Amino acid sequence: MENGGLISGNRPVIMVTNDDGIGARGLLALVHVLVSTSRYVVQVCAPDSERSAVRHCTYGHPLVVKRVNIEGATTISVSGTLVDCVSLGISKVLFLSVPDLVHFVVALGRMDLLKEIDFVEAHLERS
């Protein structure tokens, strides 16, 4: 764990993301549970609106990044796709540390998104 995580006694950092948007019920519910345990530092980076059918990075368009208030978490919305959010979230551009774990919230009935999860895992392995 790059941040020291459990080795140094610090709380591990978990970044939560999705493609359903920053206000999606599943994302908000997961963040609430993670924050309520007081075991994790919770970072959220998700699209500013629903982007379920979009599978690639946003090229050629500037991204708008905004702080969002979700109690107990450092939360950012991005005017891009899931891939944009993950790339920015693990790059130290938006957050002070790289997360120990990226958790993608899969909406019920959306298991076709496992390809995107594979992308996230591959990207983390290269970091």
Side-chain angles (χ1 to χ4, degrees):
M1 292 185 206
E2 183 175 314
N3 300 314
L6 298 174
I7 295 170
S8 68
N10 295 332
R11 298 180 298 161
V13 178
I14 296 179
M15 186 181 92
V16 178
T17 190
N18 70 1
D19 64 353
D20 292 324
I22 196 77
R25 289 186 299 171
L27 181 136
L28 296 174
L30 177 62
V31 170
H32 174 73
V33 168
L34 291 172
V35 168
S36 70
T37 68
S38 299
R39 292 182 174 191
Y40 311 103
V41 173
V42 181
Q43 300 172 335
V44 181
C45 187
D48 59 1
S49 61
E50 199 272 333
R51 301 247 200 292
S52 294
V54 183
R55 302 227 190 264
H56 303 287
C57 289
T58 305
Y59 291 111
H61 301 286
L63 295 173
V64 177
V65 175
K66 294 182 182 175
R67 283 217 178 262
V68 177
N69 186 22
I70 297 178
E71 189 172 338
T74 304
T75 308
I76 304 287
S77 72
V78 177
S79 66
T81 67
L82 165 69
V83 176
D84 295 318
C85 293
V86 172
S87 295
L88 287 170
I90 65 175
S91 69
K92 290 190 177 179
V93 170
L94 300 179
F95 304 113
L96 296 177
S97 60
V98 174
D100 297 305
L101 174 73
V102 175
H103 191 293
F104 173 69
V105 180
V106 178
L108 193 57
R110 300 286 314 283
M111 296 308 290
D112 62 314
L113 297 176
L114 291 177
K115 289 180 184 177
E116 291 182 22
I117 295 170
D118 290 341
F119 168 81
V120 171
E121 291 173 349
H123 197 78
L124 283 174
E125 287 174 9
R126 288 187 300 204
S127 297

